[in-house]
Amino acid sequence: MRFAALGDSLTAGIGDPVDGDGWRGWAALLGGALGAAEGAEGAEEEWFRNFAVSGALTRDVEERQTPEALEFAPDIASVVVGVNDTLRCAFDIQDLAPRLDRVCAALAARGTVLLTACLPDPGTMLGLPAPLARPLARRQRALNTVVHALAARYDTVHLHMADTAWVADRALWSADRLHPGERGHRMIAARFHASLAGHGFALGAPPALDPDRPPPTRGESLRWLATSGTGWVARRCRDLLPELLRLAGDEVVHWARGTSARLDLRADHALSGALAQLAAPREQ
């Protein structure tokens, strides 16, 4: 079996460091279990490729990662992407939905089994004030709804990672509160492993849940925020902050007027349009 991992920093392994400057992550852990299946032969690169890139948008997965993955001809492929799109001022669920659909369709057309997941919204994870958190929550809910629709359409192996228990367990998350830590990556890999086994795949032993390293201390978390975290926030702020402040301003104005429901209706209308595109017959 060949396994191709597509996506962004979550799949690239951010939050699960290995010796040196590299990252491992859930996809590599799952890939190791696939490679350990009885009868598996050959070097790792023959049966597992991680095409995910930190910061990738859905457009990047469609235009860059998918063609490379198709050349690899995987039996299993994970498509977990979209959170970076919600953090961009140009977020458009009606553009994102057909892109994700085309990615899934291209892989499924060759018989590839797809792995998908819904994710928590960044505003909740970061504990942002309500006027800032609500716009991001609407965007992530729209993204998760689209992913659910695609999971049903392509009969994917799907994980629900936006549930309260997953979000509330801080032991699963890294210092940045946006990426899983080692324990979280191991949990994702183990859940996908169990689901694949339930679908009849012959797999090696599941990834261990116990981490190799202790979770980051408060001091380590603060050091991350003061160094790498500052750079991450600065990069995001250049693109997202002006739009997020505009969205927060709208949120406050509508709250003061008692018309907050209009913002929900606007988001629902955009989502309905995106789902209608998925329901339409696909061009041959």
Side-chain angles (χ1 to χ4, degrees), residues 3-7 11 26-28 48-52 65 69 76-79:
F3 172 35
L6 291 74
T11 303
W26 71 266
F48 171 61
R49 299 269 182 88
N50 196 337
F51 299 98
Q65 297 180 26
I76 301 171
S78 61
V79 181

Side-chain angles (χ1 to χ4, degrees), residues 229-241:
T230 301
W232 185 91
V233 170
R235 289 191 297 273
R236 288 296 180 270
C237 285
R238 284 196 297 268
D239 181 79
L240 176 67
L241 188 56

Side-chain angles (χ1 to χ4, degrees), residues 13-194:
I14 304 299
D16 182 23
V18 292
D19 294 337
D21 297 326
W23 303 96
R24 179 180 51 187
W26 71 266
L29 290 165
L30 179 60
L34 297 178
E38 184 177 355
E41 298 178 355
E44 179 177 344
E45 60 269 17
E46 295 181 10
W47 44 262
F48 171 61
R49 299 269 182 88
N50 196 337
F51 299 98
V53 176
S54 181
L57 303 172
T58 302
R59 179 183 66 250
D60 301 317
V61 171
E62 179 189 13
E63 297 177 356
R64 301 176 186 177
Q65 297 180 26
T66 300
E68 295 178 352
L70 290 172
E71 289 184 8
F72 181 57
D75 302 289
I76 301 171
S78 61
V79 181
V80 182
V81 68
V83 172
N84 285 322
D85 294 80
T86 70
L87 295 170
R88 297 295 192 273
C89 62
F91 176 78
D92 182 356
I93 193 64
Q94 296 188 31
D95 176 73
L96 184 152
R99 287 186 183 277
L100 269 182
D101 186 27
R102 290 191 292 267
V103 170
C104 293
L107 290 162
R110 64 165 313 281
T112 300
V113 174
L114 300 177
L115 311 183
T116 57
C118 57
L119 301 170
D121 72 89
T124 297
M125 297 307 302
L126 292 172
L128 296 178
L132 295 173
R134 286 176 185 145
L136 294 180
R138 288 192 193 94
R139 291 180 171 191
Q140 189 64 42
R141 281 197 299 269
L143 171 62
N144 285 342
T145 301
V146 165
V147 172
H148 279 297
L150 293 174
R153 182 172 195 169
Y154 296 101
D155 191 24
T156 74
V157 176
H158 185 74
L159 289 189
H160 298 272
M161 297 197 298
D163 57 78
T164 303
W166 171 263
V167 174
D169 189 351
R170 291 299 183 187
L172 298 176
W173 297 91
S174 66
D176 66 10
R177 294 192 176 187
L178 286 176
H179 299 97
E182 181 188 354
R183 188 183 297 274
H185 278 285
R186 287 185 175 278
M187 179 72 74
I188 296 171
R191 287 186 178 183
F192 271 131
H193 183 282

